[in-house]
């Protein structure tokens, strides 16, 4: 998401969040919305003071993204597997009206277990909606454990390729690599593109990495301090370059 | 009396042709039943306004939601049983939750798809759609009213579900009969009992009114084509005037028109309400007429219910 919003690739202005023909970001894996809220507030879609009201009554920031409630949010998610169909519909509407906007749709690898995504993937390819760019957050973990142990989704790239998509691999924690992937998607003018971003859930925090216990839990104050320290250390340590190692195993560390 | 018979679905196709001819925002979607729903007429005459989504009801509704987000007005069409059942979550969270301007057409509703059997027969759709916030629900009484309703809802912002049948059905209105979404249509005035009907049961209600007249009762008969938002003022006034109410619909007794009327009256003007509909049961294969008879969707059943309601009124 940072690769989209902080690099000028994503065309949408906080001054005109409802501009027709703007690029749209469909966060199909809606549970990840706190990260998007953080980005939107930094870009000025709404004030940073709202971040503290997340999930509280009368808040601008709902627990899952709510279209129309929050500036910059383009889709109401929560029921997994629905975003790509909506992205297709937006792209069709743009095409019909001669608008140039692109539509990005972020999905989780566990979310790919929803059948509607594959209905939608067929539609995108059938209608040649090259303005649609899907992104798979391939972190290999879902709520009940590792994706491989519950319902194996690999080989994900082969699946999308066979559905008629232009498949692009990327290291999800490497900003340069993610930008390269977005630009490759933009250059494809015939087929829809899917970026399969290898990621590590809880990247950079030893007790969170690949641990599905942290899927939606909030850290305590001490855990937060520790996590921020570890992230800062990793950032300054050239040996731990972001996005190099992808650890597929599942470490079920107990919460500290 | 020899009735003119037209399949209600023809009204859907005709309205869509009119809409596509005059409004570039219209997009018609179907889920591989374009011949059945008559959206094939759009495909033939306005191919740029038509998308066949294949056998993918959930994807169809999601796509319609996306189209609506860009200002288009999608009409998503398929058998009512599969539209409302298979795609319920999409209708709930992608369309109604965001109050998107998506029109949904439930074709082959009720018993009109008779020989196909119980799975194709939608007898729960009105209940499922009515409970969703922001949704409007319209059940027109004949092909002409389907055409007027499908055309009229274009100008009612927000999600709307229209359901209609497959087989040729009696035409009980004419070209000049007014149709306004949300406004009940009085067919016949009376003082002994009020009969509220919609869909194909409007024809049965008119017949029942004649049968009650022979017995010396005057029945107020109204076409409640819009189940949501309900014309509360009209229904309350008719119920207060007659003191006895019958509802009639090609749907389960619970949750549809009968449920909506009973809810309204119990809170505002309690009166005996007898509901004619299917009684918590699935259908089976058979001709629509045979099914209607077997499951009690007849003028005779409406008369029996009216007599029962009037008896309850007398007992106080």
């Amino acid at each position: 998401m940072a690769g989209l919003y902080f690099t000028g690739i994503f065309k949408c202005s906080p001054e005109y969040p409802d501009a027709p023909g703007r690029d749209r970001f469909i966060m199909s894996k809606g549970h990840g919305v706190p990260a998007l809220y953080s980005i939107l507030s930094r870009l000025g879609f709404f004030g940073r003071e709202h971040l503290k009201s997340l999930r509280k009554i009368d808040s601008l920031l709902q627990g899952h993204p709510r279209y129309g409630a929050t500036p910059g949010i383009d889709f109401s998610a929560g029921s997994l597997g629905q975003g790509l169909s909506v992205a297709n519909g937006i792209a069709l509407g743009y095409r019909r009206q001669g608008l140039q906007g692109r539509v990005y749709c972020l999905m989780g690898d566990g979310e790919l277990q929803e059948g509607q995504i594959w209905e939608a993937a067929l539609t995108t390819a059938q209608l040649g909606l090259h303005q649609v760019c899907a992104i798979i957050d391939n972190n290999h973990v879902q709520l009940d454990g590792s994706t491989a142990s519950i319902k194996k989704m690999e080989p994900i790239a082969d699946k999308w390729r066979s559905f008629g998509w232009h498949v692009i691999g990327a290291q999800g924690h490497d900003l340069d690599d993610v930008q390269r992937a977005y630009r490759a998607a933009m250059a494809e003018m015939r087929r829809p593109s899917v970026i399969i971003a290898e990621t590590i859930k809880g990247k950079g925090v030893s007790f969170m990495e690949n641990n599905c216990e942290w899927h939606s839990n909030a850290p305590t104050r001490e855990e937060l301090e520790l996590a921020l320290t570890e992230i800062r250390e990793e950032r300054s340590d050239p040996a731990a370059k972001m996005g190099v190692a992808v650890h597929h195993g599942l470490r079920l560390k107990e919460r500290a | 009396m020899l009735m003119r018979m037209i399949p209600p679905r023809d009204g859907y196709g005709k309205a869509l042709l009119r809409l596509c001819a005059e409004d570039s925002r219209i997009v018609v979607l179907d889920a591989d039943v374009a011949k059945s729903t008559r959206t094939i007429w759009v495909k033939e005459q306005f191919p740029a306004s038509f998308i066949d989504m294949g056998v993918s009801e959930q994807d169809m509704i999601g796509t319609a939601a996306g189209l609506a987000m860009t200002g288009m007005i999608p009409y998503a069409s398929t058998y009512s049983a599969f539209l409302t059942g298979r795609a319920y979550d999409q209708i709930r969270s992608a369309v109604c939750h965001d109050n998107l301007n998506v029109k949904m057409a439930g074709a082959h509703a009720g018993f009109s798809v008779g020989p196909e059997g119980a799975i194709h027969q939608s007898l729960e759709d009105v209940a499922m759609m009515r409970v969703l916030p922001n949704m409007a629900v319209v059940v027109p009484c004949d092909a002409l009213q389907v055409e007027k309703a499908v055309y009229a809802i274009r100008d009612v912002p927000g999600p709307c579900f229209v359901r209609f049948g497959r087989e040729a059905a009696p035409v009980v209105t004419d070209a000049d009969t007014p149709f306004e979404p949300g406004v009940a249509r009085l067919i016949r005035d009376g003082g002994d009992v009020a009969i509220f009907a919609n869909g194909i049961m409007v024809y049965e209600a008119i017949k029942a009114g004649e049968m009650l007249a022979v017995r010396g009762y005057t029945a107020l008969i109204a076409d409640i084509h819009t189940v949501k938002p309900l014309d509360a003022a009209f229904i309350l006034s008719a119920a207060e005037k007659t003191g006895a109410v019958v509802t009639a619909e090609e749907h389960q007794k619970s949750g549809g028109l009968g449920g909506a009327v009973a809810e309204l009256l119990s809170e505002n003007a309690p009166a005996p309400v007898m509901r004619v509909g299917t009684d918590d049961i699935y259908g089976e294969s058979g001709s629509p007429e045979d099914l209607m008879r077997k499951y009690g969707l007849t003028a005779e059943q409406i008369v029996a219910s009216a007599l029962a309601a009037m008896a309850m009124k007398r007992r106080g």
Side-chain angles (χ1 to χ4, degrees):
Chain A
M1 288 192 290
L4 258 189
Y5 280 94
F6 293 136
T7 56
I9 291 174
F10 189 75
K11 304 278 187 305
C12 181
S13 137
E15 284 82 40
Y16 305 102
D18 300 323
R22 66 187 183 277
D23 284 356
R24 300 208 196 192
F25 184 71
I26 303 296
M27 184 143 199
S28 195
K29 51 169 290 184
H31 50 278
V33 77
L36 180 56
Y37 288 153
S38 171
I39 289 172
L40 291 173
S41 74
R42 279 167 195 275
L43 291 173
F45 280 84
F46 47 83
R48 297 202 65 188
E49 70 279 7
H50 289 286
L51 293 177
K52 285 202 164 66
S53 71
L54 174 68
R55 286 182 175 239
K56 292 182 182 151
I57 195 79
D58 295 330
S59 174
L60 196 68
L61 308 183
Q62 296 294 296
H64 284 78
R66 185 166 191 168
Y67 178 67
T70 316
I73 294 295
D74 286 324
F75 170 65
S76 296
S79 177
L80 290 173
Q82 296 200 20
L84 189 56
S85 297
V86 174
N88 289 342
I90 293 170
L92 277 167
Y94 280 0
R95 187 158 86 178
R96 191 86 199 276
Q97 297 167 61
L99 297 168
Q100 299 300 316
R102 292 177 61 76
V103 192
Y104 296 89
C105 178
L106 177 64
M107 294 170 277
D109 58 333
E111 188 185 6
L112 298 181
Q113 291 160 1
E114 289 281 5
Q116 188 188 346
I117 286 177
W118 301 101
E119 292 181 9
L122 291 171
T123 299
T124 331
Q126 176 78 24
L127 300 176
L129 297 172
H130 62 84
Q131 311 89 329
V132 172
C133 177
I135 307 135
I136 311 298
D137 178 7
N138 199 19
N139 59 29
H140 306 272
V141 181
Q142 59 187 105
L143 204 50
D144 275 352
S146 75
T147 311
S149 72
I150 290 171
K151 188 171 273 188
K152 188 168 81 102
M153 292 313 299
E154 295 290 357
I156 291 177
D158 289 351
K159 287 185 174 71
W160 287 88
R161 212 170 277 123
S162 74
F163 273 63
W165 285 61
H166 172 219
V167 176
I168 305 163
Q171 293 301 332
H173 298 291
D174 182 334
L175 205 55
D176 293 337
D177 201 42
V178 170
Q179 281 194 69
R180 171 198 56 81
Y182 283 128
R183 296 196 192 285
M186 254 188 264
E188 169 65 52
M189 300 302 281
R190 200 166 45 86
R191 298 169 296 171
S193 295
V194 57
I195 297 171
I196 300 174
E198 291 298 330
T199 59
I200 297 172
K201 211 177 186 71
K203 165 78 178 159
V205 181
S206 59
F207 56 92
M208 288 184 176
E209 274 191 16
N210 285 316
N211 185 344
C212 61
E213 297 294 307
W214 287 98
H215 181 80
S216 60
N217 283 343
T220 63
R221 182 158 291 280
E222 295 76 45
E223 286 165 343
L224 175 66
E225 295 296 332
L226 182 58
L228 289 174
T229 308
E230 286 191 21
I231 290 169
R232 287 190 195 104
E233 279 170 6
E234 174 166 308
R235 211 186 272 166
S236 59
D237 178 4
K241 186 169 180 295
M242 288 174 86
V244 179
V246 177
H247 177 52
H248 288 220
L250 178 71
R251 276 188 278 156
L252 282 169
K253 275 192 177 179
E254 291 302 312
R255 284 186 65 174
Chain B
M1 187 174 67
L2 197 61
M3 291 297 300
R4 199 171 151 219
M5 306 280 281
I6 305 179
R9 55 180 169 158
D10 287 9
Y12 184 55
K14 279 190 173 180
L16 292 179
L17 290 181
R18 223 173 118 200
L19 286 164
C20 290
E22 66 183 51
D23 194 333
S24 63
R25 297 171 301 167
I26 307 294
V27 180
V28 177
L29 302 100
D30 204 303
D32 201 39
V33 286
K35 291 190 199 75
S36 299
T37 60
R38 303 301 198 225
T39 61
I40 185 114
W41 298 349
V42 175
K43 183 182 182 180
E44 288 163 356
Q45 296 184 40
F46 300 95
S49 300
F50 179 79
I51 307 170
D52 200 324
M53 300 297 301
V55 192
S56 311
E57 294 79 10
Q58 302 174 13
D59 185 37
M60 174 172 72
I61 294 298
T63 305
L67 280 161
M69 286 172 171
T70 69
M72 307 299 283
I73 305 178
Y75 279 74
S77 339
T78 185
Y79 287 17
S80 199
F82 308 134
L83 176 79
T84 61
R86 189 59 168 266
Y88 193 74
D89 186 27
Q90 288 71 20
I91 294 173
R92 174 179 176 266
S93 62
V95 175
C96 288
H97 174 272
D98 296 334
N99 200 18
L100 292 177
N101 198 18
V102 174
K103 313 305 178 191
M104 288 151 278
H108 294 42
F111 283 134
S112 70
V113 67
E116 302 281 3
I119 300 301
H120 286 64
Q121 294 160 1
S122 64
L123 296 166
E124 306 82 25
D125 49 355
V126 174
M128 291 163 69
M129 295 296 103
R130 185 171 79 85
V131 76
L132 293 170
N134 296 323
M135 182 71 107
V137 178
V138 184
V139 185
C141 63
D142 65 12
L144 297 184
Q145 202 180 60
V146 170
E147 186 178 344
K148 288 174 194 158
V150 169
Y151 185 81
I153 60 171
R154 187 246 333 240
D155 300 320
V156 181
C160 183
F161 170 66
V162 188
R163 61 104 86 163
F164 50 85
R166 173 185 195 277
E167 292 297 309
V171 176
V172 297
T173 63
D174 59 40
D176 299 326
T177 309
F179 173 85
E180 193 178 332
V183 178
R185 184 173 68 91
L186 181 67
I187 297 171
R188 169 178 183 153
D189 208 353
D192 295 321
V193 61
I195 301 173
F196 301 130
N198 64 20
I200 197 167
M201 292 306 286
V202 168
Y203 175 60
E204 299 296 322
I206 294 169
K207 283 197 294 185
E210 290 162 6
M211 291 156 73
L212 286 164
V214 172
R215 291 170 176 248
Y217 300 108
T218 63
L220 180 155
I221 298 170
D223 169 9
I224 312 294
H225 47 70
T226 307
V227 180
K228 186 183 178 185
L230 204 57
D231 189 344
F234 177 91
I235 289 169
L236 287 172
S237 136
E240 279 168 358
K241 176 178 171 183
T242 58
V245 171
V246 176
T247 62
E249 61 196 309
E250 190 190 9
H251 185 270
Q252 303 289 357
K253 284 182 181 178
S254 55
L257 174 64
V261 168
E263 287 163 15
L264 176 73
L265 294 180
S266 68
E267 287 188 342
N268 297 282
V273 178
M274 298 295 291
R275 294 164 298 150
V276 174
T278 50
D279 200 2
D280 201 22
I281 195 168
Y282 288 106
E284 60 185 291
S285 283
S287 74
E289 305 78 54
D290 286 346
L291 289 161
M292 300 271 286
R293 216 170 6 254
K294 177 167 178 177
Y295 291 95
L297 304 183
T298 60
E300 290 75 15
Q301 187 61 46
I302 295 174
V303 169
S305 298
L307 294 174
M310 288 188 284
M312 286 168 77
K313 170 172 67 168
R314 281 192 295 275
R315 285 200 299 272

